[in-house]
Amino acid sequence: MKELFASTCLAAAMLAYGSAAQAAECGDVTIASMNWQSAEVLASLDKFILNEGYGCNAEIIQGDTVPTITSMTEKGQPDIAPEGWVDLLPDVVNAGVKNGKLVVASTVLSDGAVQGWWIPKYLADAHPDVKTIDDVLKHPELFPDPEDKSKGAIHNGPQGWGGTVVTSQLFKAYGGEKANFTLVDTGSAAGLDGSIAKAYERKQGWVGYYWAPTALLGKYEMVKVEHGVDYDAAEWKRCNTVTDCPDPKRNDWPKDTVQTLVTKPFSERAGEDVMAYLSKRAWTNDTVNKLMAWMTDNQASGDDGAKHFLEENEALWKDWVSPEAAEKIKAAL
């Protein structure tokens, strides 16, 4: 009996030691929360899972794409950038990985960030022949200009956005004016959102620029219009993204790669379980859109959104973590 008691105590001690060692390996962790909703909730999700599931001491710091990733490569801080839009500064990211400063943990947005022209799903369902930009331009009557019903309208974003420049250039490249369409300046992000909401609630025609993941596309189901051509990177750089380029060509809109980046020192001290989680953790635009729509409707914070996601999506997140971590996370909710 004494031998059995001693062996049981030893096993318990070893288990406690293992948990303490994991926590010690992970230790203090800084997580960058970028200044947009999807990044905010992802940072909060990582904080909750690392603290509750793996015994880390994680805290969130505010950041933005360029300064955060530059700081990670030059100063080794913060430890984690959960939602890094790496296409915005490919040279910095590539150099950081090559020089052993950065590690790519996962492609967190598994289907990529999406930009382009969209139409409401109810209109796509009613007109299954409208699938491409050319198809849209054949039917100005389906997308009437709010100011002149005899013309169609392509709704653009506000001045200063990269997507606004590209939409203007594609409007020229596809012959929008010749097809009896006008390019509508919606004036602001609120104006663009409002034009979609108004059309959707009245079941009217609408086509224009938008992107995902966003809360709006979680609330209003939209279908992205196809471009009918392959992506040409050289042409995209030469003219599609340049405001005053006079001769834009038809082009596809590339998806942005969104990855989780960690510093090399953190990847080495975090422990296998933590890095396994960060390497597996990924979700789709549809998942993020719906989560952000819930957050917007409920005026929820990133922490609120993270807990809501964990409560509603156990089948998804339990595959990201170890069985032991999953039990601890469930107990903490």
Side-chain angles (χ1 to χ4, degrees):
M1 177 65 79
K2 289 182 179 179
E3 290 178 355
L4 177 60
F5 178 75
S7 63
T8 301
C9 290
L10 178 60
M14 291 295 290
L15 180 61
Y17 174 79
S19 298
Q22 176 65 49
E25 287 176 342
C26 185
D28 294 336
V29 186
T30 49
I31 303 172
S33 177
M34 311 304 187
N35 60 353
W36 57 88
Q37 197 176 40
S38 60
E40 177 191 5
V41 69
L42 183 58
S44 292
L45 180 64
D46 282 348
K47 177 185 174 182
F48 191 95
I49 287 178
L50 291 181
N51 285 349
E52 303 298 340
Y54 295 100
C56 302
N57 182 32
E59 64 173 345
I60 289 176
I61 64 171
Q62 296 305 306
D64 210 339
T65 302
V66 175
T68 294
I69 297 177
T70 301
S71 177
M72 291 174 74
T73 61
E74 295 180 354
K75 301 177 182 178
Q77 283 290 327
D79 296 307
I80 306 172
E83 188 174 300
W85 289 57
V86 299
D87 292 334
L88 295 175
L89 61 171
D91 294 342
V92 174
V93 174
N94 291 337
V97 172
K98 182 178 180 180
N99 296 331
K101 303 291 186 180
L102 291 177
V103 173
V104 176
S106 68
T107 299
V108 62
L109 199 58
S110 58
D111 49 353
V114 182
Q115 299 184 75
W117 296 7
W118 306 71
I119 61 176
K121 187 176 185 300
Y122 57 78
L123 193 145
D125 290 342
H127 301 276
D129 56 317
V130 179
K131 296 180 179 180
T132 68
I133 291 178
D134 281 332
D135 294 335
V136 166
L137 296 178
K138 291 175 184 177
H139 296 283
E141 76 282 358
L142 295 180
F143 311 96
D145 184 334
E147 303 298 327
D148 184 354
K149 303 300 183 183
S150 68
K151 294 184 177 182
I154 307 294
H155 293 78
N156 208 352
Q159 297 303 310
W161 285 11
T164 301
V165 173
V166 174
T167 292
S168 299
Q169 292 296 72
L170 291 178
F171 184 79
K172 289 191 287 185
Y174 282 83
E177 189 172 349
K178 289 183 179 179
N180 200 34
F181 274 74
T182 57
L183 190 60
V184 175
D185 182 353
T186 54
S188 65
L192 179 60
D193 288 0
S195 70
I196 294 175
K198 181 178 178 180
Y200 220 97
E201 289 164 4
R202 297 181 180 184
K203 292 295 185 285
Q204 296 174 337
W206 188 96
V207 60
Y209 169 75
Y210 217 75
W211 72 98
T214 50
L216 193 83
L217 294 193
K219 184 174 184 178
Y220 301 115
E221 195 169 1
M222 305 286 282
V223 175
K224 187 174 180 293
V225 177
E226 298 172 9
H227 289 228
V229 295
D230 293 331
Y231 170 59
D232 184 332
E235 188 60 31
W236 182 263
K237 182 177 180 179
R238 181 193 75 85
C239 197
N240 294 121
T241 56
V242 179
T243 303
D244 57 358
C245 182
D247 60 338
K249 303 295 189 295
R250 297 179 175 215
N251 210 342
D252 200 5
W253 207 311
K255 291 184 178 181
D256 288 307
T257 303
V258 183
Q259 296 177 323
T260 294
L261 302 173
V262 303
T263 61
K264 182 69 171 180
F266 175 76
S267 73
E268 293 173 342
R269 69 175 169 81
E272 291 183 4
D273 286 349
V274 169
M275 285 306 298
Y277 158 66
L278 292 172
S279 297
K280 291 178 182 177
R281 192 259 292 113
W283 49 15
T284 64
N285 276 283
D286 184 59
T287 298
V288 185
N289 289 343
K290 290 176 180 176
L291 176 57
M292 288 193 292
W294 179 88
M295 290 173 65
T296 299
D297 288 344
N298 291 276
Q299 298 182 332
S301 66
D303 289 345
D304 296 331
K307 290 181 180 179
H308 177 76
F309 170 80
L310 290 168
E311 290 168 349
E312 299 295 323
N313 297 273
E314 182 180 336
L316 175 59
W317 65 259
K318 72 177 182 180
D319 290 334
W320 300 343
V321 301
S322 65
E324 296 79 10
E327 291 303 316
K328 293 176 183 177
I329 292 164
K330 286 162 63 176
L333 290 172

